[in-house]
Amino acid sequence: MTKRKNGAREIAADVGTGRTSAVETAQAALARIEDARALNAVVTIDPARTFADAAAVDNRVRGGEIMPLAGVPIVVKDNIWVGGWRVTQGSRLFADFIAPQDAIAIARLRQAGAVVVGIGASSEFASKGVTTSQLYGPTRHPQNPTLTPGGSSGGPAVAVAAGLVPLAIGTDAGGSSRRPPAHVGVVGFKPSYGAIPYGPGFAEPFFGLSVIAPIAADVTDITLAFETMAGVDPRDPDSADVAGAANDLGDLRIAFSPRLGLNVEVDEVVANGLTSVIARLAAGGLRIAQRDPVWPAGATEDAIMPLQHAGLAALYGDAFRRDPAVFDPDIARQIERGLAWSGTDVRGALVASATIAHAFAAFFTEIDLLLTPTVPCVAWPLTQLGPDMIGGRPASPRGHAVFTPFVNHARLPAISIPCGHDAVGLPFGLQLIARRGQDRTLLRAAQQIEAMLRSG
């Protein structure tokens, strides 16, 4: 498989100065995608549309226009609208759906010169911690095709990790664009809720949680994508401006929580790796205190899951009643649970979500930056919802996802950067979390920590 040599910044510079063209760049990306078909990372291509868009970028360059993403090939997750493209949510219900327009974030990327070269695989309705669907089958880990990259943004994460594109766009409602990047060794950023406008697009089962999330090989390209997509749009009433970067890394109050204050298991290789990473950062001059958030009684992932189940049931319950077999069996079970939840149950989940947000808010009155594992384990067989064992104990199907969902319920920004690997080279990540609206401070800190880890 041919790997890319340049990131988004370098490609934009080359296309913008005429050293290469957007059409040539798109041709090379499509060739890499074709070479990597066995990974099943990119489930839809439209070469004619891609080349037309690339040619338009070249015309804009010749006209003297300066574009921060000139000619940069991108893959967009299969639940985000890209106008004129087949976008299915990994569902047979939407197998023939053509998006009528761009989502706001995609329109901003294309205006900045990015060229969509493919649609990246997602689990059905982005509601599963592995990337597989009845429509497209499983997406495979780029280092070992018998393993999963996790989910639900497995396609975009693998597209970046395998060098197919320098930048991909996912969504994140519970860690979907942080855990897969951690499992394949790239960077995934979940902005503050509202920092990047959401929609127009599909009805969202994760009401008030899901965000557009860039995935790239390094934090600098993540920042470039974020700055392109961020900012208020009147079509999204939840969209909001975020603050400028504040403070240097050395001035931030930093905490490390090895288990996020939760009673969860972590594989030894991850636990030891994170301990080593924190020691290296401390040796590099950072002042890091070990400190856990304090969660109120009843604040568990089980307590908040009815929101996902009820959201799916509200949208697709009628279709489920007509023909349950049209759904991925794991999604069908979630819909069935959602149909059984009472209004009181859902209200209880909303209360649990709010208590998590308040607990995190209290924590961040005394801390500026929190470091945690992104995942408690490395990748596992793609035929399983999760690993059989974590930390030497039997694991639940969601045991691999424990460190990310609370961040969504608190609407905070978080980023996963690669920080280590196991004995056979399977990666895991370090998660950095900041208070809501401090996205730029978080990105600056992540860039500095990334540099410290790469130089170590």
Side-chain angles (χ1 to χ4, degrees):
M1 168 186 324
T2 303
K3 297 225 176 172
R4 67 175 175 85
K5 295 181 180 179
N6 296 323
R9 309 176 302 287
E10 293 82 9
I11 290 171
D14 286 346
V15 171
T17 56
R19 286 191 291 270
T20 189
S21 71
V23 168
E24 292 169 334
T25 303
Q27 287 173 329
L30 286 170
R32 292 191 295 268
I33 290 169
E34 176 62 25
D35 288 346
R37 286 179 64 187
L39 292 175
N40 200 29
V42 179
V43 293
T44 299
I45 59 171
D46 188 341
R49 190 174 296 275
T50 291
F51 289 138
D53 289 349
V57 169
D58 286 332
N59 285 335
R60 292 166 66 188
V61 169
R62 285 191 288 271
E65 188 172 347
I66 297 173
M67 294 168 278
L69 291 171
V72 174
I74 64 172
V75 162
V76 179
K77 188 177 178 181
D78 191 32
N79 66 338
I80 303 170
W81 281 9
V82 182
W85 283 71
R86 180 186 186 225
V87 184
T88 72
Q89 301 188 89
S91 171
R92 290 194 220 173
L93 293 179
F94 295 89
D96 300 316
F97 180 82
I98 303 299
Q101 64 185 107
D102 285 339
I104 296 163
I106 302 306
R108 289 176 174 179
L109 290 167
R110 295 172 83 171
Q111 180 60 34
V115 176
V116 178
V117 296
I119 303 298
S122 169
S123 58
E124 190 169 19
F125 307 128
S127 296
K128 190 172 170 180
V130 295
T131 302
T132 185
S133 70
Q134 292 195 124
L135 198 56
Y136 297 117
T139 297
R140 299 176 184 274
H141 197 289
Q143 292 175 240
N144 183 337
T146 70
L147 303 179
T148 178
S152 62
S153 300
V158 171
V160 173
L164 312 185
V165 290
L167 176 65
I169 308 301
T171 61
D172 190 315
S176 287
S177 287
R178 283 165 286 155
R179 295 194 311 272
H183 286 307
V184 299
V186 296
V187 182
F189 174 50
K190 175 223 167 302
S192 294
Y193 184 74
I196 296 174
Y198 207 83
F202 295 109
E204 178 58 64
F206 311 104
F207 183 77
L209 299 177
S210 192
V211 299
I212 301 290
I215 298 169
D218 61 39
V219 180
T220 300
D221 277 357
I222 291 283
T223 303
L224 178 60
F226 173 73
E227 294 295 351
T228 301
M229 294 185 286
V232 172
D233 187 284
R235 290 168 289 178
D236 178 5
D238 290 321
S239 63
D241 287 322
V242 298
N247 300 326
D248 291 325
L249 183 59
D251 297 327
L252 298 180
R253 299 169 296 175
I254 306 173
F256 170 57
S257 179
R259 283 176 170 76
L260 196 59
L262 301 168
N263 182 24
V264 297
E265 300 300 327
V266 179
D267 277 346
E268 185 177 8
V269 66
V270 176
N272 290 344
L274 267 291
T275 298
S276 176
V277 163
I278 298 305
R280 286 169 57 190
L281 296 176
L286 300 188
R287 293 170 293 174
I288 305 174
Q290 185 162 317
R291 181 172 175 181
D292 297 327
V294 177
W295 306 111
T300 66
E301 191 181 16
D302 285 345
I304 54 182
M305 282 305 289
L307 298 179
Q308 176 171 320
H309 300 160
L312 288 167
L315 293 174
Y316 307 114
D318 289 344
F320 171 81
R321 292 185 183 100
R322 288 192 298 270
D323 183 9
V326 77
F327 297 96
D328 177 318
D330 297 307
I331 304 306
R333 281 190 286 272
Q334 293 187 49
I335 295 171
E336 189 170 26
R337 291 188 192 116
L339 291 170
W341 292 119
S342 69
T344 302
D345 294 327
V346 174
R347 197 264 182 189
L350 288 169
V351 170
S353 176
T355 62
I356 289 166
H358 281 93
F360 249 141
F363 184 76
F364 277 105
T365 62
E366 300 177 354
I367 293 296
D368 299 310
L369 184 66
L370 175 62
L371 312 181
T372 78
T374 309
V375 290
C377 59
V378 297
W380 60 91
L382 57 78
T383 56
Q384 301 174 196
L385 287 176
D388 292 326
M389 308 282 287
I390 298 177
R393 296 185 179 181
S396 72
R398 291 283 298 172
H400 64 92
V402 291
F403 295 124
T404 54
F406 281 16
V407 176
N408 295 77
H409 286 263
R411 297 167 174 79
L412 308 177
I415 190 168
S416 177
I417 61 176
C419 72
H421 53 78
D422 71 1
V424 298
L426 293 173
F428 51 87
L430 172 68
Q431 180 174 224
L432 288 67
I433 310 168
R435 71 171 58 90
R436 187 176 182 184
Q438 294 299 312
D439 300 58
R440 293 186 173 100
T441 295
L442 176 62
L443 288 169
R444 176 188 285 180
Q447 190 169 3
Q448 293 173 313
I449 288 175
E450 178 186 65
M452 294 173 72
L453 295 181
R454 288 183 174 180
S455 66

